Amino acid sequence: MSTTISILDAGILGVVEGLTEFLPVSSTGHLKITEGLMKIPVDDPAVVGFTAVIQVGAIAAVLVYFFGDIVRIVSAWGRGLRQPEARSEHDYKFAWWVIFATIPIVVVGIAAKKLIEGPLASLWVVASALIVGSGVMWLAERRGTQKRGEKEVTLADTMIVGSSQIAALLFPGFSRSGATLSAGLLIGLDRVSATRLSFFLSIPALTGAGLYELKDALGAGVGAGPLVVGTVVSFAVAYASVAWLLRFVARHSINGFGGYRVIVGLGLFALLAAGTLPA
C-alpha cells in the first residue's frame, strides 16, 4: 500500500528538516516525531525516501553558504590531480580526506538498509538515542580541549569525525550533527572548526542518501510536487539555520542542545508509553 504525502505535509516536514538538520538535535528524530503526530507511518519506504530526498534541500543550503570555500577546495583538488607539486596544499589533501571519510557511512548504509528502514526506525529508538546522544555531547564539551583550528585538521581527524556519522545513521535520534560535532570536540578541535568540518562531511553523505532514495520516494506514492515543496522549504530554513549555528557555537557551548534533547526524549517516552504516538 502506498503512502501519499500532501503539499501541506511536505511543507511542514520541510520546515522541520531545515530547522534541525544541522543543529545537534537530530533532524531524523524530529521528523519521525512529527510524522508520528501527523499519523504518517515512519517506517514506510516512501516516507523514508521522502525524508532522505528533502535533506538535499538542506545540503543545497550548505553548498550556497560555503560556496567560496567549496570552490577553493575543489580547485585545489583539481590542481593536485594535474600538478604533482600542488599536492602538498592542505585544501587538496582535505578534499581527499572528505572522500575517504564518507566511505564508512556509505558501506554501513547499504549493508544495514533493511535495519535502518525497519526496526531501527522505531520511535522508542529515537527517544533512547536523543538521551544517550545528549550524554555524549555533554562529555565532549567537558573533555574537549578546543586547542586546534581548521588548518590543523588531519586525515585521522576527518576519518574519526566522518565515521561518527554511523551512530546517527543506525540510531535515528542520535543526530549526525551532534555526533560529528562531539567527535570533533573530543579530538581537540574548537567548536567552530568542528562545526565547519561537520558541514563539509555532510555534503557527500546526505546528497548521496537523497539521490539513492529518490527512486523509492517517487515509486512508492510520493509525487514530484510534495518532493519539490519539501526540498525548497528545507533549503530556505536550513540556510538561516546554518548561519545562526556558526554564530552560536563561536560563543556558546552545546550543552543547551543536550538539555533540550533530554526533555524531548523523555516527552517522547511518555507519549509512547501512553499510546498517544505509535512506535
Side-chain angles (χ1 to χ4, degrees):
M1 182 177 179
S2 64
T3 294
T4 300
I5 294 178
S6 70
I7 296 293
L8 178 59
D9 293 339
I12 293 171
L13 294 175
V15 170
V16 174
E17 163 64 23
L19 277 174
T20 61
E21 180 59 58
F22 300 112
L23 300 183
V25 297
S26 175
S27 63
T28 302
H30 280 74
L31 282 168
K32 289 186 180 298
I33 293 170
T34 305
E35 289 161 0
L37 291 171
M38 295 167 66
K39 308 302 182 184
I40 298 173
V42 299
D43 58 349
D44 187 288
V47 177
V48 174
F50 173 82
T51 55
V53 171
I54 64 173
Q55 285 177 336
V56 176
I59 289 302
V62 171
L63 291 173
V64 173
Y65 191 89
F66 291 104
F67 184 74
D69 294 288
I70 293 169
V71 168
R72 189 191 73 242
I73 293 168
V74 172
S75 297
W77 185 67
R79 283 196 305 275
L81 292 178
R82 300 189 308 271
Q83 306 166 11
E85 64 272 16
R87 294 172 188 171
S88 61
E89 294 182 31
H90 183 270
D91 285 337
Y92 168 78
K93 292 184 285 188
F94 182 71
W96 277 115
W97 297 347
V98 170
I99 294 171
F100 295 151
T102 302
I103 294 174
I105 193 173
V106 171
V107 172
V108 174
I110 294 173
K113 188 173 188 291
K114 290 184 178 180
L115 280 175
I116 295 167
E117 295 179 354
L120 293 178
S122 167
L123 289 179
W124 289 106
V125 175
V126 171
S128 301
L130 278 166
I131 295 173
V132 172
S134 299
V136 174
M137 290 165 59
W138 175 81
L139 178 66
E141 271 289 348
R142 184 171 182 177
R143 297 291 179 85
T145 61
Q146 299 191 50
K147 292 183 177 180
R148 295 195 294 137
E150 191 170 348
K151 289 298 182 182
E152 298 172 89
V153 169
T154 66
L155 171 60
D157 295 332
T158 312
M159 291 300 297
I160 290 170
V161 176
S163 296
S164 72
Q165 297 177 108
I166 294 172
L169 178 68
L170 294 178
F171 305 106
F174 199 95
S175 170
R176 192 206 62 82
S177 177
T180 52
L181 182 51
S182 297
L185 291 175
L186 287 170
I187 58 178
L189 297 179
D190 62 66
R191 287 192 205 94
V192 173
S193 298
T195 302
R196 283 174 58 87
L197 179 57
S198 173
F199 284 139
F200 289 128
L201 286 167
S202 72
I203 295 171
L206 296 184
T207 301
L211 295 176
Y212 182 79
E213 296 285 359
L214 180 59
K215 64 181 187 305
D216 291 336
L218 288 173
V222 180
L227 282 173
V228 171
V229 170
T231 303
V232 170
V233 171
S234 71
F235 166 82
V237 178
Y239 188 90
S241 178
V242 169
W244 178 84
L245 181 61
L246 284 170
R247 290 195 299 270
F248 180 87
V249 296
R251 300 177 181 177
H252 303 88
S253 80
I254 59 174
N255 286 334
F257 293 114
Y260 167 78
R261 291 166 57 107
V262 170
I263 293 172
V264 173
L266 292 175
L268 181 54
F269 270 130
L271 290 173
L272 290 170
T276 304
L277 279 179

